Amino acid sequence: MSDIVISPEVQKTHGNSRYYVLEHHPENGTMLGFWIYLMSDCLIFACLFAAYAVLGRNYAGGPTGAELFDLPLVAINTSLLLLSSITYGFAMLEAQKKRLNATILWLVVTGIFGAGFISLELYEFMHLLHEGAGPQRSGFLTAFFSLVATHGLHVTFGIVWLVTLCFQLKRHGLTGANMRRLNCLSLFWHFLDIVWIGVFTFVYLMGVLP
């Protein structure tokens, strides 16, 4: 077996050892692991959508979706999340051009849109609770709160991740590790957009139908 050619820097570090670990991080290992995580998240949301499909018309004499949902408010909320996906795309374009400050700027804009989305969602939940339409009121509301709140928790986690990544970028720049993190967060953020389109269509639009 022919020996692997090792750089002088590695030889200086490891001495006369025959075998070396050139890179601790396996190639594409992070992306593969993150895709597996996203698939598990898909199963979680599939279960929540299935539960809503079964319980979505079980009002137990309580209010219906047509009586509760404020579609203009939800449309604004949807627009905020979709815009955040676009601005994240701009951040990725700037990152590929190695423009650090522009990348961070677009990430901050993305975080602002995400925070706006969460704020409106919390306002909607508070309004429903004030009207006595809490998750314990009916099977419909239990399924509704479970699905929408789980998505909201994911968006909140995404915002925390985004803020952390901004600090990492500011400190270390657009390194290979940070580019992997940007790509993983991009997958996560766009995945949440796709899930929300399903929520908006299946829960809100169909919910106001008689």
Side-chain angles (χ1 to χ4, degrees):
M1 180 185 296
S2 60
D3 290 340
I4 301 174
V5 178
I6 306 299
S7 66
E9 291 80 4
V10 176
Q11 290 178 355
K12 183 178 179 181
T13 302
H14 296 275
N16 295 321
S17 299
R18 180 178 177 81
Y19 300 104
Y20 310 92
V21 177
L22 297 181
E23 185 179 357
H24 294 286
H25 194 286
E27 186 176 359
N28 298 325
T30 299
M31 296 304 295
L32 175 61
F34 200 75
W35 272 111
I36 294 173
Y37 159 72
L38 284 183
M39 293 304 101
S40 67
D41 241 10
C42 282
L43 292 177
I44 292 174
F45 280 107
C47 292
L48 292 172
F49 274 109
Y52 185 86
V54 173
L55 300 173
R57 298 290 178 178
N58 293 350
Y59 304 121
T64 66
E67 296 169 340
L68 293 175
F69 296 154
D70 185 355
L71 279 186
L73 179 67
V74 179
I76 293 173
N77 218 16
T78 302
S79 299
L80 289 175
L81 195 60
L82 294 179
L83 284 173
S84 74
S85 188
I86 294 173
T87 56
Y88 198 100
F90 289 152
M92 291 301 298
L93 290 175
E94 296 295 343
Q96 291 171 3
K97 297 175 183 177
K98 302 301 180 183
R99 297 174 179 172
L100 176 60
N101 291 332
T103 301
I104 295 175
L105 175 61
W106 283 115
L107 289 177
V108 170
V109 173
T110 301
I112 291 173
F113 281 135
F117 173 86
I118 292 298
S119 297
L120 288 180
E121 192 166 276
L122 289 175
Y123 170 80
E124 179 188 28
F125 283 177
M126 291 175 62
H127 174 72
L128 292 177
L129 293 174
H130 179 73
E131 295 291 324
Q136 75 284 355
R137 180 64 182 84
S138 64
F140 154 64
L141 286 169
T142 299
F144 168 79
F145 274 96
S146 298
L147 175 56
V148 178
T150 300
H151 179 270
L153 287 174
H154 277 71
V155 175
T156 303
F157 173 75
I159 294 172
V160 173
W161 185 1
L162 191 149
V163 172
T164 304
L165 187 53
C166 283
F167 282 107
Q168 290 177 327
L169 287 169
K170 195 69 176 176
R171 183 173 181 179
H172 301 292
L174 292 166
T175 62
N178 280 339
M179 288 300 296
R180 283 196 299 269
R181 293 169 185 137
L182 278 170
N183 285 323
C184 288
L185 182 53
S186 176
L187 288 174
F188 183 74
W189 202 263
H190 295 313
F191 167 74
L192 294 180
D193 271 5
I194 294 172
V195 172
W196 182 254
I197 290 173
V199 172
F200 180 68
T201 304
F202 188 56
V203 175
Y204 288 99
L205 291 183
M206 294 182 65
V208 300
L209 296 177

